[in-house]
Amino acid sequence: MVKFGVRMIDMQHAGWEAHYINYEELKLQIDNIEKCQTDEALAAKSEEFLATLKQMLVRVDAFVADQMSTLQANTDLQDAKSLHSAKSFLKVLCRYVGTNVIAATKIVKKHDKHVQPSLRKRVVVGNIIRSSKVLRSSSSTAPPSSEAGPPRAR
């Protein structure tokens, strides 16, 4: 089975690579967490991981907002071809959001396996994603993907 970090590279939209969560950088931070000898060092490295991931999510959020603004400015609502092009672009943008949400979810799960329960960040990261207007609204309109798994009952 191919690891997610490798698959993520294949999932990235050409030209947007620099705007994705840097999964490999976060994995290196988790490796550094594993090397910690004291609880204080572990807590500090865990907070550093969270700060880095938050910064990456803010960048993703800003990129999506920028792309949405550009799309709105360039879409002629009276032109069928323009609307079709906008729909295609939105599918790409939704895949971008979905890929980043999955990456954030997977990397924080990996982080949480290496720290004591009091330092787990899954709930914090989930709240960050849910509190983002752009990420929340874009991912909720994303077409289903095999990576996301089956829909959950509400």
Side-chain angles (χ1 to χ4, degrees):
M1 178 175 221
V2 178
K3 302 269 185 175
F4 178 75
V6 174
R7 283 198 339 259
M8 185 177 171
I9 294 168
D10 293 334
M11 295 165 67
Q12 293 178 352
H13 182 70
W16 290 4
E17 296 87 354
H19 302 285
Y20 284 82
I21 287 174
N22 188 333
Y23 194 83
E24 292 304 316
E25 179 184 336
L26 293 167
K27 276 180 48 179
L28 289 174
Q29 287 191 7
I30 292 170
D31 290 344
N32 290 334
I33 288 171
E34 291 177 334
K35 296 174 187 172
C36 289
Q37 303 276 331
T38 67
D39 288 344
E40 293 80 19
L42 184 69
K45 289 292 183 185
S46 181
E47 287 304 316
E48 182 181 318
F49 168 87
L50 180 61
T52 302
L53 181 53
K54 279 182 181 179
Q55 181 181 19
M56 289 178 184
L57 288 169
V58 166
R59 278 191 7 249
V60 167
D61 202 46
F63 180 75
V64 172
D66 182 56
Q67 294 299 310
M68 291 297 292
S69 293
T70 301
L71 178 65
Q72 288 173 338
N74 295 335
T75 301
D76 178 0
L77 299 177
Q78 305 301 316
D79 180 48
K81 188 175 181 179
S82 178
L83 289 172
H84 179 72
S85 177
K87 181 180 177 184
S88 296
F89 182 80
L90 279 173
K91 285 182 182 178
V92 172
L93 194 57
C94 285
R95 276 194 302 274
Y96 167 82
V97 170
T99 300
N100 280 290
V101 168
I102 291 166
T105 303
K106 285 186 172 285
I107 200 68
V108 80
K109 182 178 177 184
K110 185 179 292 279
H111 166 275
D112 289 357
K113 287 180 182 179
H114 299 281
V115 297
Q116 62 253 28
S118 65
L119 296 176
R120 291 183 180 156
K121 307 297 183 199
R122 191 177 307 175
V123 172
V124 174
V125 171
N127 288 337
I128 292 168
I129 291 168
R130 281 187 291 282
S131 69
S132 164
K133 270 186 160 177
V134 174
L135 292 179
R136 186 183 66 230
S137 65
S138 296
S139 64
S140 66
T141 60
S145 77
S146 59
E147 188 64 39
R152 294 185 181 152
R154 293 186 185 199

